[in-house]
Amino acid sequence: MKLLDLFSGIGGFHKGFEKAGFEFDWVGFSDIDKYASAVYKYRYPDAKELGDITSIRPERDLPDNIDILCGGFPCQAFSVAGRRKGFEDTRGTLFFEIARILRHFRDTEKPIPHFVLENVKGLLSHDNGRTFAIIYRVLTDIGYTVECQLLNTRWVLPQNRERIYIVGHFGTGSGCKVFPIGESGQVSYNRNTEVASTLQHPGHSGGNYKGMNMIDTGLKQVKAVLTLDRKEKRQNGRRMKEDGEPMFTLNAQDQHGVLVKEATKKGYAEAKVGDSINLSVPNSKTRRGRVGKGEAQTLDTGMQQYTIDKTAIRRLTPVECMRLQGFPDDWNEKGIMDGKVVDMSDTQRYKQAGNAVSVPIVSMVAERIKDGK
């Protein structure tokens, strides 16, 4: 089988299809991020690097037939964080490059049987649904039966990450139906076991990952508390100031967490050991939902998510981010650049995790495609 992996990142689609039992004798991958491509080359040294999707010429760069096309096409143009410019943004127009390649294989009478695309939830509502309607119409005009579903990583991993998956089968009588998968809100993992196994980082007990106390964060949104009903009482000889500023760091005797300021009627959310805290846009007066109860919130490229250990607040590690996306711990530790194996910086590893697809979710979709073939 042959796989065309577009906007390939660090290979989440490839890995997901592999986990579902697919074996490929040819793989081509395309991404403009040289660091992500370096990881891809390290993990899949036999794959063919195709570079920028706009430069791909199917008749020149691709084999005569492709079995699976996949791609998490750029989502910034459709996300709230990206100001939702959609097709007005050059990143939004890259969808039409996917359509161009699909159309080429149809016109050569060797249509690609299946495609799987992924994007942010905001794609569905962007421009009052007109953007998604255009995408749907373009794909069906090429000749595909198209189905989609909003899937959440939290169904299989402790990360609340909603993404729209779009699956296409060429022709109207393929008989292959992938969706629906699961049920809305379904959580199929053991939350306590999964969180405990995810939020640990062997080999990273010190150095850059040394626990930070609340004062070290420098963010006033995070404030230590004793308990809400004991603010004025001493505990271990310490007292909380009236304004809520911490006079201490957490220790094993403090069986509580921290208050995180957010724009709700209550004014804060309480985070405890094992919860995540999103500290992006720290001065926002409208941000809410900063605390993930027993799970991470959606990983992004800036990686401003923290968690609470027994004694401190600390940033999630690159290893934990890989686990939250369903990759092996060391998946993006190294890459190949200029023919040499190099170490990836933490900055790049965080960015790669935020841009990646969740491997188990891809695998669930791939299994349905395999069963219907």
Side-chain angles (χ1 to χ4, degrees):
M1 297 190 72
K2 295 177 174 59
L3 172 71
L4 179 56
D5 198 350
L6 303 173
F7 311 103
S8 50
I10 57 175
F13 269 111
H14 192 164
K15 184 67 173 175
F17 271 87
E18 278 189 338
K19 287 177 67 69
F22 282 78
E23 296 181 2
F24 300 107
D25 52 34
W26 182 91
V27 175
F29 70 100
S30 167
D31 204 292
I32 61 171
D33 187 315
K34 65 180 182 180
Y35 298 103
S37 293
V39 172
Y40 202 111
K41 283 186 285 189
Y42 180 76
R43 290 298 170 186
Y44 298 110
D46 294 330
K48 180 179 180 180
E49 186 173 10
L50 299 168
D52 190 333
I53 188 174
T54 62
S55 300
I56 294 177
R57 297 295 173 263
E59 67 281 1
R60 178 193 67 194
D61 303 319
L62 305 179
D64 292 337
N65 65 287
I66 298 289
D67 297 285
I68 303 285
L69 179 150
C70 58
F73 59 106
C75 63
Q76 295 94 326
F78 308 108
S79 69
V80 175
R83 299 187 181 178
R84 307 190 68 170
K85 293 183 179 180
F87 291 135
E88 295 177 8
D89 189 319
T90 56
R91 295 168 298 189
T93 62
L94 290 175
F95 162 75
F96 296 105
E97 295 295 328
I98 298 174
R100 173 178 65 87
I101 293 172
L102 290 171
R103 194 175 291 111
H104 165 84
F105 282 92
R106 181 205 62 182
D107 292 346
T108 58
E109 299 185 350
K110 293 182 179 179
I112 298 175
H114 305 282
F115 67 73
V116 183
L117 306 178
E118 179 258 14
N119 213 292
V120 293
K121 178 181 179 180
L123 176 65
L124 292 173
S125 58
H126 181 265
D127 196 16
N128 294 318
R130 285 186 283 268
T131 297
F132 185 78
I134 292 171
I135 290 173
Y136 183 87
R137 186 179 70 244
V138 168
L139 295 172
T140 55
D141 285 349
I142 295 173
Y144 285 91
T145 297
V146 178
E147 53 178 326
C148 65
Q149 185 181 344
L150 195 66
L151 304 179
N152 197 328
T153 301
R154 75 184 309 197
W155 297 356
V156 289
L157 290 168
Q159 181 194 176
N160 183 18
R161 185 185 189 88
E162 289 184 297
R163 290 292 184 267
I164 181 70
Y165 279 78
I166 307 168
V167 174
H169 321 283
F170 191 79
T172 57
S174 65
C176 180
K177 188 170 179 60
V178 170
F179 303 127
I181 289 178
E183 299 177 0
S184 178
Q186 170 185 340
V187 178
S188 59
Y189 66 89
N190 183 310
R191 184 179 296 273
N192 292 334
T193 300
E194 193 69 32
V195 171
S197 64
T198 301
L199 297 182
Q200 54 181 316
H201 43 290
H204 295 288
S205 57
N208 293 334
Y209 304 109
K210 186 176 181 180
M212 296 181 296
N213 62 34
M214 274 59 70
I215 298 174
D216 289 338
T217 66
L219 295 171
K220 293 183 179 180
Q221 277 71 15
V222 181
K223 298 181 179 181
V225 298
L226 295 179
T227 57
L228 293 179
D229 60 344
R230 299 181 64 191
K231 285 178 62 176
E232 302 306 318
K233 296 182 180 180
R234 290 181 179 273
Q235 181 174 341
N236 301 327
R238 299 165 297 179
R239 182 184 295 273
M240 172 70 74
K241 284 185 178 180
E242 283 291 336
D243 62 4
E245 290 295 330
M247 298 293 291
F248 60 94
T249 58
L250 297 176
N251 64 36
Q253 296 177 346
D254 297 326
Q255 297 182 359
H256 45 72
V258 297
L259 295 185
V260 183
K261 187 176 180 181
E262 58 179 20
T264 61
K265 185 176 181 179
K266 191 175 183 180
Y268 64 88
E270 186 176 1
K272 296 184 178 181
V273 173
D275 293 344
S276 65
I277 305 173
N278 191 327
L279 300 184
S280 61
V281 198
N283 296 319
S284 172
K285 295 182 179 180
T286 59
R287 193 68 179 262
R288 58 184 64 191
R290 289 187 179 275
V291 176
K293 294 296 184 179
E295 64 183 7
Q297 297 168 85
T298 303
L299 297 182
D300 59 23
T301 57
M303 242 319 293
Q304 290 300 313
Q305 287 208 53
Y306 293 71
T307 189
I308 303 179
D309 279 339
K310 292 182 179 180
T311 59
I313 295 177
R314 63 169 178 80
R315 195 181 193 188
L316 294 182
T317 69
V319 168
E320 289 168 336
C321 292
M322 283 292 96
R323 291 179 180 180
L324 289 168
Q325 289 286 50
F327 288 92
D329 289 0
D330 63 348
W331 185 260
N332 66 344
E333 279 187 358
K334 298 182 182 298
I336 295 179
M337 304 186 75
D338 299 323
K340 298 179 181 179
V341 177
V342 298
D343 293 328
M344 287 290 114
S345 69
D346 288 349
T347 298
Q348 291 301 326
R349 295 180 71 189
Y350 283 132
K351 179 180 177 182
Q352 291 161 7
N355 280 331
V357 291
S358 301
V359 173
I361 296 295
V362 173
S363 183
M364 290 166 63
V365 174
E367 286 172 359
R368 293 296 188 93
I369 292 175
K370 187 178 181 182
D371 290 344
K373 286 178 65 65

